[in-house]
Amino acid sequence: MAISYVASCYVANYSNLANQIDSSVECFAFDSIASTNDYLSALVFSDTTQICIASEQTQGKGQYDRAWLSQKDASILLSIRYVFRADLSLNGLSLVIGLAIASALEELGIKQIKLKWPNDIFFDNKKLAGILIENSVQGEYQSVVIGLGLNYDLNQKFECQSPWVDLASIIPKLPAIEDLAALLINHILKNCQLFESHDLSYFIQSWEQVDYLKNTRVKLDINNQTFAGIVRGINSQGMLMVEVNGQLIEVCSSKQIRLI
């Protein structure tokens, strides 16, 4: 797809987004909304892929009920509701979505993206984007809402305790935010289709190339005890593998680990 480039202080217009998506989708675009994830989750079930995108979120959601911080017209704020069959294991789906983001950004010439298990996109040791996945079972189907927040062009008034980076500080020419959103969505939908056909095993090798945590030292909290260990990658189910005293331990939640 053709990419347009813009100057700063750009106001997003997503009215034509559906025409830029390779698949058949239903789009909902807002100037301001509480949460794109919540909006899609509240809709009546549909087997059509649905997208909600907004210029601003007033109650953006991150992992574990944390707030997702953003600025109006300065962040990509979108959610996709994608329907999988109910018997498909969704283990590792957030990793697959992260790989889609990395692939899309590579099209813009950004080749140093790293993915921090299980749902963060990093550049130069700073957070560029985050993923939030929520799902519910609807009969024979799983209705999965995939939320994405990506820092596009934040101004210096943006306050966040964690180290962050935006796209404007990475590349000299920003793509139009609408084109970037479409590019990201198309890559996400492509990976969802591949995941549905091949599961996580199809993506393991790609993950190894961008694994932010591999071979890093961490503290692991398990069974009310804390151990020092080294991350050794992921297993076939998308769980983080941490080596502690020569033994590999499966980790299923990022709450269990802390970087040393």
Side-chain angles (χ1 to χ4, degrees), residues 130-174:
I131 299 161
L132 176 66
I133 294 180
E134 300 174 300
N135 72 297
S136 62
V137 176
Q138 305 281 344
E140 299 178 354
Y141 302 99
Q142 295 181 82
S143 177
V144 180
V145 176
I146 302 162
L148 170 66
L150 183 143
N151 302 329
Y152 176 70
D153 188 11
L154 302 172
N155 64 45
Q156 295 305 311
K157 294 181 181 180
F158 182 70
E159 295 183 1
C160 179
Q161 293 182 346
S162 302
W164 59 271
V165 66
D166 62 8
L167 203 61
S169 62
I170 298 174
I171 54 178
K173 295 177 64 177
L174 274 177

Side-chain angles (χ1 to χ4, degrees), residues 5 98-115 121-124 126 128 150-152 165-175 180 183-184 210:
Y5 295 88
L99 287 169
I101 306 308
S103 177
L105 294 176
E106 188 171 359
E107 282 197 27
L108 301 178
I110 305 171
K111 302 182 183 298
Q112 298 83 25
I113 293 295
K114 293 292 183 181
L115 302 180
I121 294 89
F122 271 58
F123 179 89
D124 192 25
K126 300 173 184 176
L128 174 64
L150 183 143
N151 302 329
Y152 176 70
V165 66
D166 62 8
L167 203 61
S169 62
I170 298 174
I171 54 178
K173 295 177 64 177
L174 274 177
L180 176 59
L183 179 67
L184 292 165
V210 294

Side-chain angles (χ1 to χ4, degrees), residues 22-163:
D22 296 336
S23 306
S24 177
V25 298
E26 184 178 13
C27 284
F28 305 90
F30 296 90
D31 181 60
S32 182
I33 197 173
S35 162
T36 56
N37 261 40
D38 285 351
Y39 180 85
L40 290 183
S41 296
L43 294 179
V44 174
F45 173 77
S46 170
D47 57 5
T48 299
T49 298
Q50 297 170 312
I51 296 166
C52 180
I53 191 164
S55 298
E56 178 184 49
Q57 281 189 136
T58 57
Q59 298 175 35
K61 298 167 62 177
Q63 286 289 317
Y64 306 120
D65 296 322
R66 301 183 187 118
W68 179 262
L69 304 176
S70 61
Q71 289 178 330
K72 187 172 184 179
D73 290 316
S75 302
I76 294 283
L77 303 166
L78 66 85
S79 297
I80 301 170
R81 186 158 83 164
Y82 191 92
V83 175
F84 295 94
R85 64 182 189 275
D87 63 348
L88 179 70
S89 170
L90 298 181
N91 290 338
L93 178 59
S94 66
L95 314 184
V96 171
I97 302 305
L99 287 169
I101 306 308
S103 177
L105 294 176
E106 188 171 359
E107 282 197 27
L108 301 178
I110 305 171
K111 302 182 183 298
Q112 298 83 25
I113 293 295
K114 293 292 183 181
L115 302 180
K116 183 181 178 184
W117 180 93
N119 49 28
D120 290 333
I121 294 89
F122 271 58
F123 179 89
D124 192 25
N125 294 314
K126 300 173 184 176
K127 189 169 180 176
L128 174 64
I131 299 161
L132 176 66
I133 294 180
E134 300 174 300
N135 72 297
S136 62
V137 176
Q138 305 281 344
E140 299 178 354
Y141 302 99
Q142 295 181 82
S143 177
V144 180
V145 176
I146 302 162
L148 170 66
L150 183 143
N151 302 329
Y152 176 70
D153 188 11
L154 302 172
N155 64 45
Q156 295 305 311
K157 294 181 181 180
F158 182 70
E159 295 183 1
C160 179
Q161 293 182 346
S162 302

